[in-house]
Amino acid sequence: MNWRLVCRSRSGPLMLLGMGIVSLCGCSGTQKVQASEAPDVTATVGVALVSRKPMERQLTISSELVPFQEIDVYAKESGFVRELNVDYGSRVQKGQLMAVLEIPELAMLLQQDEAAIQVATDQVQHAQKELNRVEAQHNVLHLQYKRLQGVAESRPGLVAQQEVDDAQGKDLASEAQIEATKSAEATAQSQLIAAKAKESHDRVLYDYANIRAPFSGVVTQRYANLGTLMQAGTSSSTQALPLVRLSQDDKFRLVIPVPESYVKYIRNGDPVQVRVPSLNKIFPGKVARFSVDVAEDTRTMHTEVDVPNPSHELVPGLYAEATLMLERKADALTVPLQAVDRNGDQTTILLVDASDRVQQRTIEVGLQSATDAEVIAGLNEGDRVVVSDRSGLKQGTPVHAQVTQVLEYQGAKSQ
């Protein structure tokens, strides 16, 4: 208003028109200069290419390592500890002698059994000799009867019939005596067998005085000393004390509760990575057995993983993380996980199109790993997705795309 007032006061309407033309020309020139000197404001964004690679679905569950077998070793028969060959930390092999008990009662029984076997053996020998004597006597009487019978038949009246009948009676009596002697011999044989069986039974019991390792492992507890009276561990009515506790540590069990939504993926023999944080190592394992039913209270399935421990690095009670391979695809279309945005049930990404402008795309994802996600729908191989900061980007924004390497997580060292 000041400029227009000044123009009117000095030169009138004509002067005002002239100055207006000059002013318009001046403004047009200034706009051209500003447009030609405007700086380039296109932003640079990091992108990654949608590619194909193997993908797998994994499940990681934490649990505690326990020995494959762990038992308390009891005595089968009561006795005093005469020898003790193991202690805490002793490593034993299957069948190795760990302790010897002193059982005097069984030693006496074995002596009685040996004497009974000798008596029964003598009785058998006597019965056999008696049988031989009776059979020899029967042969003589039988021949006599046959001769008399033959003469009586060939020359009737030469031999009295009474003599023939007496010979026949003696022959039949000797046959009966043979049968009785055979029965006595069989009885003696049975008594010998019974005596040997009793001796075998008592010797087996006496052999329990030698306490041996039922499997290879390490002694983790010792409960007895030399001279300790060990009660037989076969009766629940006595407070029997075990000799030692033995653990098999060349193989461990990892008991993991698998949620019911993953039960369908569990198979015997499936490989499992067992990571032990305290050792910073990964040990190979495999699914060895599972319960085939889901517990009602926890909705999980009892699953056991066998973990070999040949170098004895693992010890009972260590905390471990088991990673199970549930599903694997060899050629999945993948996108870096850091490029994915989730808003409720909707999954989106930002990509740079062929004209270097930002587009928002809704996608459907499948398998996921620590770094990538499988794309089921919404993207094509070779698409450029934004993996850098996306806070200031909008639909249609022109950008300069620069391919960026996505860092992958490096886990623990594998054994």
Side-chain angles (χ1 to χ4, degrees):
M1 291 181 65
N2 293 337
W3 175 79
R4 295 178 67 183
L5 287 172
V6 170
C7 290
R8 286 177 180 177
S9 62
R10 290 186 177 181
S11 304
L14 184 61
M15 188 67 180
L16 178 62
L17 179 60
M19 292 185 68
I21 294 174
V22 174
S23 176
L24 289 173
C25 293
C27 290
S28 177
T30 302
Q31 290 176 356
K32 289 181 180 180
V33 172
Q34 289 176 352
S36 63
E37 294 179 357
D40 185 8
V41 293
T42 303
T44 300
V45 295
V47 297
L49 300 180
V50 178
S51 60
R52 293 189 176 274
K53 63 172 66 173
M55 282 289 294
E56 56 193 26
R57 186 194 301 273
Q58 295 180 342
L59 174 65
T60 300
I61 302 177
S62 301
S63 187
E64 181 181 350
L65 287 166
V66 296
F68 190 75
Q69 296 183 91
E70 187 173 44
I71 63 169
D72 288 334
V73 180
Y74 288 86
K76 180 69 185 312
E77 293 294 323
S78 299
F80 296 94
V81 178
R82 187 177 66 192
E83 295 180 17
L84 185 59
N85 303 323
V86 294
D87 208 329
Y88 285 93
S90 296
R91 192 166 297 280
V92 297
Q93 300 298 318
K94 182 178 180 180
Q96 181 176 332
L97 185 64
M98 295 191 296
V100 178
L101 302 182
E102 184 176 353
I103 312 176
E105 298 85 353
L106 287 179
M108 295 293 293
L109 279 178
L110 285 177
Q111 293 180 3
Q112 294 177 5
D113 294 338
E114 291 174 357
I117 290 175
Q118 186 61 47
V119 171
T121 302
D122 293 341
Q123 290 177 350
V124 169
Q125 293 176 353
H126 176 73
Q128 289 175 345
K129 291 179 180 179
E130 182 66 17
L131 178 61
N132 293 334
R133 186 187 67 80
V134 172
E135 286 178 342
Q137 185 177 6
H138 168 70
N139 290 334
V140 173
L141 295 175
H142 184 68
L143 288 173
Q144 290 179 355
Y145 165 67
K146 287 298 182 183
R147 289 193 188 100
L148 291 174
Q149 186 182 23
V151 172
E153 291 177 354
S154 62
R155 296 182 180 183
L158 184 62
V159 179
Q161 184 64 35
Q162 184 177 357
E163 293 182 11
V164 176
D165 293 341
D166 289 341
Q168 184 181 13
K170 291 179 180 179
D171 181 33
L172 294 176
S174 65
E175 287 183 1
Q177 192 174 4
I178 289 176
E179 294 300 326
T181 306
K182 286 183 178 180
S183 177
E185 183 197 17
T187 301
Q189 290 283 2
S190 299
Q191 291 175 351
L192 177 60
I193 293 174
K196 288 183 177 180
K198 186 176 184 304
E199 191 269 345
S200 298
H201 173 266
D202 292 341
R203 187 167 297 280
V204 168
L205 294 180
Y206 188 74
D207 287 341
Y208 284 125
N210 300 321
I211 301 179
R212 301 182 181 275
F215 53 81
S216 300
V218 62
V219 175
T220 58
Q221 291 285 341
R222 191 201 74 214
Y223 302 101
N225 295 308
L226 289 175
T228 302
L229 175 60
M230 303 293 299
Q231 297 291 336
T234 57
S235 176
S236 60
S237 61
T238 60
Q239 298 296 324
L241 184 71
L243 177 72
V244 295
R245 176 171 294 173
L246 184 64
S247 298
Q248 181 181 353
D249 63 344
D250 59 350
K251 186 192 294 184
F252 275 79
R253 296 176 189 258
L254 193 64
V255 181
I256 54 178
V258 176
E260 63 176 327
S261 57
Y262 299 105
V263 165
K264 61 182 179 182
Y265 297 108
I266 304 301
R267 298 289 183 275
N268 276 334
D270 286 349
V272 180
Q273 288 187 346
V274 180
R275 179 176 176 269
V276 182
S278 60
L279 301 179
N280 194 30
K281 284 189 176 182
I282 294 177
F283 296 82
K286 66 176 181 179
V287 176
R289 62 199 69 84
F290 50 86
S291 62
V292 200
D293 66 338
V294 176
E296 295 183 0
D297 52 347
T298 61
R299 308 309 303 169
T300 58
M301 182 178 71
H302 178 96
T303 305
E304 292 188 1
V305 176
D306 286 353
V307 185
N309 185 36
S311 59
H312 304 292
E313 288 185 86
L314 299 174
V315 295
L318 285 180
Y319 175 81
E321 298 173 351
T323 301
L324 289 80
M325 188 76 60
L326 302 178
E327 187 178 2
R328 180 179 177 86
K329 294 184 179 179
D331 191 31
L333 188 65
T334 63
V335 63
L337 199 59
Q338 67 188 68
V340 178
D341 293 322
R342 298 183 184 275
N343 185 10
D345 296 335
Q346 188 177 29
T347 304
T348 62
I349 55 95
L350 293 181
L351 61 83
V352 179
D353 60 13
S355 59
D356 291 334
R357 292 185 177 273
V358 175
Q359 286 189 13
Q360 187 178 33
R361 187 79 57 84
T362 300
I363 63 173
E364 183 180 351
V365 298
L367 301 181
Q368 291 188 24
S369 67
T371 56
D372 299 288
E374 177 194 13
V375 179
I376 299 177
L379 289 175
N380 298 314
E381 187 175 0
D383 285 348
R384 298 176 295 175
V385 295
V386 179
V387 294
S388 59
D389 183 22
R390 302 183 290 278
S391 59
L393 300 179
K394 297 181 180 180
Q395 178 82 11
T397 303
V399 293
H400 173 67
Q402 182 176 356
V403 178
T404 304
Q405 286 284 3
V406 180
L407 296 179
E408 295 188 0
Y409 168 75
Q410 299 295 330
K413 179 174 62 175
S414 178
Q415 174 172 281

